[in-house]
Structures are given as structure tokens and as C-alpha cells.
Amino acid sequence: RGLGDVYKRQALGSIRLAPGANASVSGGSFSHEVPAEYCATGFVCDGENGSYDIVRADSIVEAQIGDTTYKTLAEAIAAAKDGDTVVLLRSVSVDGEGIVVSGKAITLDLNGKKLTNKASHTITNNGTLTVTDSIGGGVVDNITHAKAALSNAVDATATLEGGTFMRSKEAGKDGNNSGGNSYYTIENYGSMSFDSGASVENAGHFSSMIRNGGKNTAESPAKMTIDGGTFSGGINTIKNDDYGNLTINNGNFDNTSQYVIMNWSKATINNGTFKTSSKATSAVLFNSSYGNDPADTGSLEVNGGTFTTNSAAQPVLTNYYDANNTATSTVINNGIFNGDLVNESEHKGPLS
């Protein structure tokens, strides 16, 4: 009576097999997944969340465009034309190079399903991509070290209107230990915007959750606009890196490790809520230049928002990296600050 017997009892319910007997299932509905070895030749177990059916393997389709269905999501993405919406019909784990969008402007509707990877970035966008989630509960996940749920290339455009983006096997321990599996949940080197229906998560403490910029030039900066959404985790929730232009108009942001917003380039905050948890060690906001590098000017403007520290000892803002690298410009025009704005004994960069 080994593991196979347990699977038989769970999947086959009231069916009892004699010792040494085998099951060959070619139909029916089950509350537990039926292991592949018990499915008849040419049949598979299809379903999720406690509802499973035995169906013909050749009847499985992953995606749909209009009235046309496709056996795999990759086939649907390849067939999509400008303006098309690709609807995900089942949760999918993509192999190879993942889902790659190039040379077209399309929408991917997660439709409440989960898209994850096997080895690559889950989604690589080289074109124009809008991600929606028409029924809610949709997820874009990545489980591989040094790979993102979404990588948006230089000159590409991504609009995230729905779905949760995550790295479910993120293992980053601290700033010195990746745990063998860590990376940004999202990296943007093109143009990216977020609406209120999107959320981003990262439970690690080694990589920033979102990286904006870092592979860019002055002529082609990374641009990120956040109009809403929920953003939680990473050693920094958002790192605005080399030649990154970040504008936050709204949203909820929190961090459990270091900074909510780490700005090395140009950032403007107009509204939103920003807070550190009891485990975050630094400040809500960080702003600094680095080495007189034009890619890292350290320019921050705050026009509104609510900023909350985790203790009386923690400042809202750190506006320097070290004695030789400080913010070029930090302008605070408005906002609600639950905590001291800066630590006066350590304050080094310009502030107005």
C-alpha cells in the first residue's frame, strides 16, 4: 500500500481496486486530480481547484481569439494580429522562451487563469501588450532564478490593467543572499503603465520587486506611470534605476525589507499610500545620485501622498547614498508624513 494507493483513493473516490489491479479512466468528473498513469491512452485529466474531468487529450485548447481556439497559448500569440484579444482558457505552464510578443499590438486576457513559466521569463514583450483579467483572479507567475514574470524591452509598451504578477518561489533571504532563486517580478526598459486592477508581489529580500530602467540611454529612457494598483514586497518595492523616469499618480505600496521607493534617476510622486512594515530597516523613500553619472541624477519631487514609517526612529526620506553621493534635487511640495521627514543627524542631500 504505497503512494499510488493513496492517489487511487483520493482520485477515484468510491471505486476500490483489488490488490495489484490497475485503473484506466476514460471519462467522468472528480474532486481530486487523477494521476496521468490512471488515464486511458489518449486521455488526460483536465481542471483545477477541486473540479477535474477526464477528456481526450486532443480536445484541450489553451487560448482563444474571437471564435477561433488554439491548442497552445504560444500558437494564439503567434496568430494574433494588431488589435486582437487573446483569451487564456486554462492555466498554463509555458516552456522554451515563454510567451514572446513582438511586432504587434495585442491584449492578453488572463480570464482568471494562471500563466507560469518553466525556465524563462514568463512574458517577454518586444511589442505593444495590454494585460487584462476579465473575471478576476488571474496570475502571471515566475518560478525560476534570475527570471521575471514580465520583462518589457527597450522601445516596447506594456499596459497592465489587471492580474497579479508574482514570483511564487522567490527565496531571497537578505541583501547578500539570493537563496538560489531571486529576481525582479517585473523589469521595464521600455514604457509601462499600471491601472488599479493590477497588483505585484515579491516575498523576497534580495531583489527589488520592480525595476524601471538600467539598460537604457538618455535618448531612450525607461518610462513607468502608475495610476493605481497594489505593490508589496522586494528588498525595494520599486527601484527606479539608470535613466528611469517614474511617475506615481496613485496606488498602495508597502515594503518589508528596505525602501518602498529607491530612486537613482527621476521620480515624481503625486498621490498614493506608501508604508514600511516593522521589518523594513531603512526609510520609505530613498533618493540619491551616484558618481556624477548622468544616468543617476537622483531627482525626486513629491506633490502628494501619505507616507508612513514603522517607528519614530525611522525617517520618511533618505536623500543620500554616502558622503560622496547625495540627491541632486529633492522637492517636497505636499503630502502627509506619519514620521519625521528626515533624520537630521544624517541628512546630507539638498531638500526643499
Side-chain angles (χ1 to χ4, degrees), residues 9 25 30 34 54 86 98 106 134 157 159-160 198 239 247 257 267 278 290 296 321 327 330-331 337 341 349 351:
R9 290 197 302 273
V25 185
F30 301 87
V34 178
I54 303 299
V86 178
I106 64 172
S134 58
T157 299
T159 302
L160 309 184
K239 178 171 70 171
T247 301
S257 301
S278 59
Y290 190 80
D296 299 316
Y321 176 68
T330 304
V331 178
F337 303 96
L341 184 57
L351 176 64

Side-chain angles (χ1 to χ4, degrees), residues 149 160 163-167 184-186 194 198-202 209-210 229-233 237 252 254:
L160 309 184
T164 296
F165 296 78
M166 64 169 57
R167 282 181 40 84
Y184 315 109
T185 301
I186 291 176
F194 293 84
S199 63
V200 188
E201 302 173 2
N202 189 309
M209 185 178 75
I210 296 175
T230 302
F231 306 84
S232 178
T237 305
N252 298 306
D254 70 83

Side-chain angles (χ1 to χ4, degrees), residues 301-317:
E301 181 177 345
V302 177
N303 298 312
T306 300
F307 306 83
T308 303
T309 65
N310 63 33
S311 71
Q314 185 181 72
V316 171
L317 169 69

Side-chain angles (χ1 to χ4, degrees), residues 75-120:
E75 290 174 0
I77 296 292
K81 297 178 174 58
D82 281 347
D84 280 349
T85 296
V86 178
V87 181
L88 190 60
L89 298 179
R90 55 184 279 117
S91 293
V92 172
S93 179
V94 290
D95 54 15
E97 60 184 4
I99 296 303
V100 179
V101 178
S102 297
K104 60 185 73 176
I106 64 172
T107 296
L108 173 62
D109 179 2
L110 297 174
N111 191 36
K113 304 301 189 290
K114 183 176 182 179
L115 174 63
T116 190
N117 74 310
K118 291 183 179 178
S120 60

Side-chain angles (χ1 to χ4, degrees), residues 22 100 122 137 293 337:
N22 294 313
V100 179
T122 310
D293 189 337
F337 303 96

